[in-house]
Amino acid sequence: MTTALPAIAPRAGLAGWSLFAALIAMAGLPIYIHAPKFYVDSYGVSLAALGGTLALLRLFDVVQDPVLGWLAELGRARRGLWVALAAAVMALSMLGLFAVAPPVAPLLWFAITLTGLFSAFSFLTIAFYAEGVAKAASLGPQGHLRLAGWREGGSLAGICVAAVAPVALASLTDAPFAAFAALFILLAIAATLAMRGQWSGQGAGFQNPLAAFRPALSDALARRLLLIALLNAAPSAVTSTLFLFFVESRLSAPGTEGPLLLLFFLAAALSTPLWSRAAQKHRAKRVLLSAMALGIASFIWAATLGAGDVAAFAVICAVSGAALGADLVLLPALFARRLGQLGQGGEAAAFGLWSFVSKLSLALAAATLLPALQAAGFTPGAENAPSALFTLSVLYALVPCALKVLSIALLAATKIPEV
């Protein structure tokens, strides 16, 4: 009989899922932090040119996710091969970005390599989360929460490593980013091998793009969870966009951004197994609502801070990072569990939509907040009027609270079947 398998076989594979999540995460947000400065310092590319290029790439990144979701669904029967190819593209793009002298104009090379990097990153993220629906089903009734704890813990650990690795490697080599790219390739090989045999390849997938999205879009609860994801990602998008400005100008603490960011992500990473266990003992919805309320409390405090309040802001980073850990673990797990309950396939297409709404919130935040700051008379790095600093505090701390309240209200009004 196969009834004993969920208790034995899956545990051996969860470490591989965590390692693969770390690989994907290392190619995400940290690269958007490191790459522009690297090309300014190494090749003299102007900030204005890089900013315009990144804006265009971000726009392309947002709109391609549903297409990548459909492609991941179309290649479902040979997903392991597609994943291996995407991992190779991601690793080679990282190498080209940081370790290869541009064979063409540096700005063009930056655009080419970064496009390859984030396209492969997006495809792998979608395929990885889609495959998690079947994996979690083999782990028992709380499988989605168990898997999410391992997966998101690995993801946040990968972000932390990628954030500090180039700085740490600078003490060992004159080319720290090239060394980082080489280590990334080794990790890509190890993570791909660790996931070998984990790609089920069940089903032929959807040939019709519209049919691939129908299971998620035709279900009221899945649509509601997508809307909650959009609203709930908005506060993080706001704070991510304004974080550097807040630390530099409101706290008057330039140079502390790196340690504060690391503290934030470390708190998120360390909290993920705790949220996963709590959700398994208590209802996931109840735990998630509690974490959202914790995030609101921390950012109300942030609105009161001024110059020199770095210690208080460090506490806020730790608390809000821990609250973010619940968002990252529980919301995707609830969405994946619903897809599993529907049993109609289309998981990759559904997570293409999930990735789309998450990135859309970041694009909308950048498009609205920065012009609003400028209209208030705020100038980065300059001596700003109290009114401009007040606007910065409102946008950074209170706007996310208002958005979080909307998320809480929508989630509280949503009936989510528990298992």
Side-chain angles (χ1 to χ4, degrees), residues 26-27 31 89-99 117 180-181 184:
M26 287 177 68
I31 301 310
V89 170
M90 188 167 70
L92 292 175
S93 297
M94 185 77 77
L95 188 69
L97 184 67
F98 289 128
L117 184 69
F180 172 75
F184 184 84

Side-chain angles (χ1 to χ4, degrees), residues 105-352:
L107 186 62
L108 178 59
W109 186 244
F110 174 84
I112 292 171
T113 54
L114 204 59
T115 298
L117 184 69
F118 70 61
S119 295
F121 162 84
S122 295
F123 178 83
L124 289 173
T125 300
I126 292 166
F128 185 56
Y129 276 79
E131 191 66 39
V133 176
K135 177 68 176 179
S138 72
L139 295 171
Q142 301 289 349
H144 288 287
L145 297 173
R146 285 184 57 203
L147 177 61
W150 282 82
R151 183 178 57 207
E152 308 312 330
S155 178
L156 289 162
I159 290 176
C160 294
V161 170
V164 302
V167 178
L169 290 169
S171 62
L172 303 176
T173 175
D174 293 333
F177 285 98
F180 172 75
L183 291 174
F184 184 84
I185 289 179
L186 294 178
L187 178 62
I189 295 172
T192 302
L193 291 175
M195 283 292 290
R196 187 175 54 182
Q198 294 292 317
W199 310 103
S200 65
Q202 296 175 356
F206 289 91
Q207 301 297 321
N208 184 338
L210 295 179
F213 296 102
R214 189 174 296 125
L217 293 179
S218 62
D219 180 67
L221 179 54
R223 292 197 307 271
R224 178 68 69 92
L225 289 172
L226 282 169
L227 180 57
I228 293 171
L230 175 63
L231 285 175
N232 199 55
S236 294
V238 171
T239 55
S240 298
T241 302
L242 300 179
F243 177 85
L244 297 179
F245 301 126
F246 187 83
V247 173
E248 179 185 55
S249 298
R250 190 55 171 164
L251 301 183
S252 300
T256 63
E257 299 93 342
L260 289 170
L261 271 176
L262 183 59
L263 174 62
F264 175 80
F265 286 119
L266 275 175
L270 293 174
S271 73
T272 54
L274 302 179
W275 292 121
S276 177
R277 291 192 191 101
Q280 291 175 54
K281 293 181 180 179
H282 312 286
R283 297 196 171 190
K285 176 181 171 180
R286 183 182 303 165
V287 173
L288 182 55
L289 287 171
S290 300
M292 289 177 169
L294 181 64
I296 290 177
S298 67
F299 271 91
I300 289 177
W301 186 16
T304 69
L305 301 184
D309 291 333
V310 179
F313 189 65
V315 175
I316 291 171
C317 286
V319 174
S320 60
L324 176 70
D327 289 347
L328 296 177
V329 169
L330 302 182
L331 262 181
L334 290 173
F335 187 64
R337 188 173 70 188
R338 183 56 181 170
L339 295 177
Q341 290 169 346
L342 294 175
Q344 299 176 28
E347 295 89 355
F351 274 105

Side-chain angles (χ1 to χ4, degrees), residues 25-54:
M26 287 177 68
L29 181 62
I31 301 310
Y32 279 98
I33 296 173
H34 293 313
K37 189 174 187 305
F38 176 78
Y39 270 72
V40 170
D41 295 343
S42 301
Y43 305 114
V45 180
S46 74
L47 282 174
L50 280 173
T53 302
L54 279 172

